[in-house]
Amino acid sequence: MSPEVQRLAALFEEVLQALAEVPLAELVAGRALPEPKAALVQHLLAHRAAVAAWLRTPACAEALCVRLARWLWSRNQYVRLDRAALTAACGRATNEVADGLAAAGGARDADLKDMSERLVRAGQELQARVAALVRAGGGAKAEVVCSEYAVTLQRDALGLDDAPLVPPILDVGCGHSAGFVRALRAEGLAATGLDREAPEDVALVGDWLTFPFGQDRWGTIVSHQAFSLHFIHHHLAQGPEAYAYARVYMAVLRSLKPGGRFVYVPGLPFVEAMLPANMYRCTRVPLPEAMVSEAVHALERAAGFELAYAAHVERLA
C-alpha cells in the first residue's frame, strides 16, 4: 500500500472517530454526516492519480467494508451484516469518488468545492445503504458494545481455575486480539480462535453460524460472553435466528471428542435442560461474586431465568 493510500486510510479513520459519540440509531435514521475536512479533500486532489487507481480496485472496497463492519460491530455486536451487499455499497462509494478525481483538474477552488460536494453525496448514499443493511440485520434500535477482556478475567468467569483444558482448544468469539488464545499457546497448548474479526496468525476468520466445527475434533471449546450471549439475545427476541443458534449449539457439541467439553458463559438453561443425559453432562460453575453486578441481575429478571454461571458441558464417552 502506497504512502498516499495509507494517509487516506488514516484520514478515513478520523472520520469514524468523529462519529464515535453519535448514537448508531441516529446515523441509521439519517443524521447528517459532518462536512469532509479540508485535509481529506486536499489529499485526494494532491494525489488524485494514485488514489483514484486504488479507489477503483476490489481490494479498496473490501478494505472499506472490513473497517465499516468492525466499526458497526463495535456499536452493536448483535447486528448481522450482509457482507456482499456492504462490499458492493462500498465499491459504489469509492468509484464515485474516483470519478470525481478523474474529472478534477487540480487543487483549484472549483475543484476543492466540487470534490467536497461529491464526497458529501457519496457519503450520504453509502450511509443510506449501510442504514438499510443495519435495519435488516436488527441492529438499529440500541447500542450493544462489544468489549475485549483480560485473560485472567476470562479464566475466572469460565470457571477454569481447577479444570484442565484438553487440546485442541477452540475459542469461539476470541475477539480482535485473541488474547486468551495467545495465552494458551504461551502455555504450550494447541489453541485456535474463531471470530469474524480474528487475527489470522492465531485464529480463523469466520462466522460461528456457518463455521464447519467438524466431528470428534475438539478437546475443549470455550466462549466467554460471545456465542451464548448472542444465543440469549435471539432466544428472547423469538426470531428465526434462535433456531439457527440451537442448531449450531448441537453442532458444537458433536464436534467435541468423547470426554471433551464446551465451556461458556453466560449459561443457557433453556437448552441445557433438554440435553440427553446419556450423551452430555452439564456442570454449572457460579460466577465469582465480584462479577455478579446489578446489570447481571437485571438481565436475569428480564430473561426470566438464571444465567450468572459458566456451563461446562461434557460429551460423555
Side-chain angles (χ1 to χ4, degrees):
M1 186 180 294
S2 69
E4 295 83 6
V5 172
Q6 291 178 353
R7 176 57 181 158
L8 179 61
L11 289 168
F12 176 71
E13 193 67 29
E14 291 179 5
V15 174
L16 290 182
Q17 291 175 359
L19 294 173
E21 301 303 320
V22 181
L24 182 60
E26 290 187 16
L27 292 172
V28 171
R31 174 168 171 167
L33 298 174
E35 291 287 324
K37 291 186 176 181
L40 173 59
V41 179
Q42 291 167 357
H43 179 78
L44 287 168
L45 290 173
H47 306 283
R48 56 187 181 279
V51 171
W54 163 249
L55 289 171
R56 294 189 190 282
T57 64
C60 176
E62 176 61 25
L64 180 56
C65 170
V66 168
R67 187 60 193 91
L68 273 179
R70 182 179 299 167
W71 184 81
L72 288 167
W73 284 326
S74 74
R75 309 302 296 275
N76 188 331
Q77 62 176 305
Y78 297 132
V79 65
R80 295 194 60 77
L81 297 171
D82 182 334
R83 293 294 293 274
L86 181 57
T87 302
C90 291
R92 285 191 288 269
T94 55
N95 274 285
E96 168 69 15
V97 176
D99 290 343
L101 292 174
R108 300 170 301 180
D109 289 346
D111 289 319
L112 290 168
K113 182 175 183 295
D114 180 72
M115 179 51 59
S116 181
E117 291 174 350
R118 190 178 288 265
L119 283 172
V120 170
R121 290 196 301 274
Q124 289 172 340
E125 292 172 6
L126 180 58
Q127 180 185 11
R129 294 187 177 105
V130 171
L133 293 174
V134 171
R135 285 192 292 268
K141 295 181 179 179
E143 305 270 322
V144 189
V145 178
C146 183
S147 301
E148 296 270 353
Y149 298 93
V151 172
T152 53
L153 184 147
Q154 292 184 63
R155 283 187 182 275
D156 291 344
L158 290 166
L160 296 175
D161 284 346
D162 300 321
L165 294 176
V166 178
I169 304 162
L170 179 67
D171 183 358
V172 176
C174 63
H176 182 61
S177 66
F180 194 39
V181 174
R182 297 183 192 279
L184 293 173
R185 288 193 174 197
E187 296 172 15
L189 295 169
T192 302
L194 169 65
D195 200 282
R196 56 196 176 192
E197 297 185 80
E200 296 183 14
D201 59 327
V202 296
L204 304 167
V205 179
D207 185 331
W208 55 47
L209 290 182
T210 58
F211 179 74
F213 288 94
Q215 186 81 25
D216 303 332
R217 180 180 178 184
W218 305 100
T220 309
I221 297 178
V222 300
S223 187
H224 175 259
Q225 295 198 58
F227 180 83
S228 62
L229 191 62
H230 284 244
F231 195 166
I232 291 169
H233 170 78
H234 292 292
H235 173 75
L236 295 177
Q238 298 184 339
E241 285 208 319
Y243 298 99
Y245 271 80
R247 288 192 295 270
V248 174
Y249 181 90
M250 295 310 300
V252 169
L253 294 186
R254 289 192 297 271
S255 75
L256 295 171
K257 295 180 178 181
R261 289 179 303 146
F262 182 23
V263 181
Y264 54 86
V265 66
L268 298 168
F270 53 89
V271 67
E272 293 154 9
M274 296 187 289
L275 294 176
N278 64 327
M279 297 178 64
Y280 303 101
R281 177 170 54 238
C282 181
T283 303
R284 294 185 178 187
V285 180
L287 282 177
E289 190 63 32
M291 295 184 185
V292 185
S293 64
E294 177 53 34
V296 173
H297 290 308
L299 182 57
E300 288 183 323
R301 289 193 295 270
F305 50 76
E306 181 186 1
L307 50 79
Y309 64 89
H312 293 215
V313 180
E314 178 185 356
R315 180 184 172 190
L316 301 178

